[in-house]
Amino acid sequence: VGTLTKKALYQIKMQEAKQTPLMKVLCLHGSGTNKDFMRNLQMAFSCLRPLCEWHYMDGPVACDPIKEIEPYLKLVKQDTFFTWLRRSEDNSRYLGFEEAYKAAMEEAKKLGPDILLGFSQGGIIASMVGDQLYKEGKLKGIVSSVTKPW
């Protein structure tokens, strides 16, 4: 019997993974993007793709796209963009935490994710919702980044 290659070991692990239930991941996009844009970011997690069932949702407030994603707009099929929070008139604070929390919590309770994944404002909301779900024993993990992924 010879030694297994790394590729063969990977194939065996992937076959074993297919026999176990997939982890559900709920993904929350950043401000000025949308769930379709977030779906394209999943490439960063390509090694997890076979192990997870990926779900996406849009933030509750429609807005213009952020200028940083303009080079990537051709990858996005959806032409409406969203944010989780909005700025006050004097631009000194964010508003809408309760609305954003409620929308994400409702989706999470309906879906029953194992993991929440969020970027930027989506990361803030994922942390808020995830904290509560984790305390209730209904969540395995949170992946939250409040920096831009590009």
Side-chain angles (χ1 to χ4, degrees):
V1 176
T3 306
L4 292 174
T5 66
K6 286 183 181 180
K7 183 178 180 180
L9 286 171
Y10 176 79
Q11 289 172 336
I12 290 169
K13 288 291 183 192
M14 288 299 101
Q15 186 59 38
E16 290 172 358
K18 289 177 185 174
Q19 297 170 5
T20 61
L22 297 177
M23 289 191 301
K24 291 181 186 174
V25 180
L26 177 58
C27 303
L28 309 180
H29 62 79
S31 179
T33 64
N34 56 36
K35 64 184 178 185
D36 194 38
F37 184 80
M38 186 73 173
R39 189 175 288 113
N40 282 295
L41 288 180
Q42 181 190 345
M43 292 181 280
F45 301 99
S46 60
C47 62
L48 297 175
R49 195 173 300 140
L51 306 174
C52 300
E53 182 181 305
W54 300 87
H55 300 268
Y56 307 86
M57 71 173 291
D58 284 323
V61 181
C63 68
D64 292 327
I66 57 170
K67 63 183 176 199
E68 291 91 345
I69 69 164
E70 286 177 8
Y72 308 102
L73 288 178
K74 62 183 175 234
L75 300 173
V76 181
K77 298 172 188 160
Q78 188 178 347
D79 62 357
T80 305
F81 299 87
F82 298 91
T83 187
W84 295 94
L85 306 169
R86 56 196 182 286
R87 294 248 186 193
S88 62
E89 282 187 34
D90 65 359
N91 215 22
S92 66
R93 59 195 162 101
Y94 284 106
L95 306 171
F97 281 97
E98 288 180 35
E99 179 184 7
Y101 176 85
K102 182 179 177 185
M105 182 61 85
E106 284 177 6
E107 184 68 19
K109 294 238 178 188
K110 184 170 53 173
L111 176 65
D114 298 295
I115 298 171
L116 290 177
L117 171 69
F119 285 114
S120 192
Q121 282 190 8
I124 294 167
I125 303 305
S127 295
M128 292 168 56
V129 170
D131 181 60
Q132 182 60 40
L133 293 175
Y134 187 77
K135 287 176 182 174
E136 295 173 9
K138 297 178 181 174
L139 193 68
K140 294 178 182 170
I142 304 167
V143 179
S144 174
S145 170
V146 293
T147 60
K148 295 176 182 165
W150 52 83

